[in-house]
Amino acid sequence: LDEAAKLRMESERAKTEVDRLRGDLAAAASERDGLRATGLELNRLKDEESRFKTDLEKTREELARERQEREALASRLAAREAEPKKPAGVDPELVALRSQLASISAERDRLRTTSEEAGRQIVALREAIAEAQRMTEVESSKAVRHAERVAAVEREREELRDHLTAASAASVGALQ
């Protein structure tokens, strides 16, 4: 009878431990769900980084085209200015070229600013991705530890149940 009482106490302790571990398992499941959400955010950030890279490359290509056009206009302007001056007022083509050059210079400056901003955004995205990956690794490691603890307690509970069953059978056999 004393052994049966001990086994009942052990069984109760094991039950309490199993209940606690179930809580831990629920917490681990919640962490896992959080990790899944973090993974989705990480994928979104990677897609956004890819889009920014594409935009940056397009902006750089456009800037290169604008620079070439600006250089061509500048050389045309220089050639026009090197020609002898026409006494009859202002050359309308020269005015148009100057206006076009000013417009292209403004566009170049705008593209340069856009390119720099895209570069800063890519750096920020990379930092966010690195932080999300670090958090994912930490949370994954926690989930593994919780799962290992739950498995160990389950094994211990099974061993106690087997021991209790054997002790109960021995007690019943001794009473008969």
Side-chain angles (χ1 to χ4, degrees):
L1 289 179
D2 285 338
E3 190 171 332
K6 286 179 187 177
L7 290 174
R8 280 189 195 109
M9 286 176 48
E10 285 182 30
S11 176
E12 287 299 317
R13 273 189 270 140
K15 183 180 180 223
T16 302
E17 180 67 15
V18 166
D19 290 343
R20 186 183 62 76
L21 287 172
R22 283 188 180 137
D24 288 348
L25 183 60
S30 175
E31 285 181 35
R32 180 198 62 222
D33 294 342
L35 288 174
R36 285 183 182 151
T38 301
L40 293 173
E41 178 67 10
L42 181 62
N43 288 338
R44 185 191 66 77
L45 289 172
K46 285 181 180 178
D47 290 344
E48 196 170 316
E49 177 187 23
S50 176
R51 191 182 84 245
F52 278 125
K53 284 181 179 178
T54 302
D55 289 348
L56 178 61
E57 187 58 35
K58 286 178 184 176
T59 302
R60 285 180 177 161
E61 289 170 3
E62 189 175 335
L63 180 60
R65 282 191 305 274
E66 294 295 333
R67 282 180 179 161
Q68 287 175 343
E69 187 176 342
R70 179 178 168 263
E71 289 171 6
L73 287 173
S75 67
R76 281 179 57 197
L77 179 61
R80 286 291 266 169
E81 287 176 343
E83 291 179 1
K85 302 278 183 197
K86 293 182 183 176
V90 177
D91 184 1
E93 188 178 346
L94 183 61
V95 170
L97 285 174
R98 284 186 176 152
S99 172
Q100 199 174 10
L101 179 61
S103 170
I104 288 173
S105 294
E107 179 69 11
R108 179 207 60 214
D109 293 341
R110 184 190 65 77
L111 289 172
R112 186 176 288 148
T113 301
T114 302
S115 174
E116 290 168 356
E117 177 61 26
R120 284 190 295 275
Q121 288 176 349
I122 286 174
V123 167
L125 282 172
R126 285 181 179 152
E127 290 171 356
I129 288 170
E131 178 62 20
Q133 286 173 335
R134 186 192 63 75
M135 288 175 53
T136 300
E137 290 170 4
V138 167
E139 295 301 324
S140 292
S141 128
K142 285 181 184 177
V144 166
R145 285 195 307 272
H146 282 300
E148 289 170 352
R149 285 181 53 206
V150 167
V153 167
E154 287 292 326
R155 285 190 302 272
E156 183 180 332
R157 184 176 60 94
E158 289 300 319
E159 289 172 6
L160 287 173
R161 181 180 289 149
D162 292 345
H163 186 61
L164 179 59
T165 302
S168 293
S171 295
V172 169
L175 291 175
Q176 289 177 357

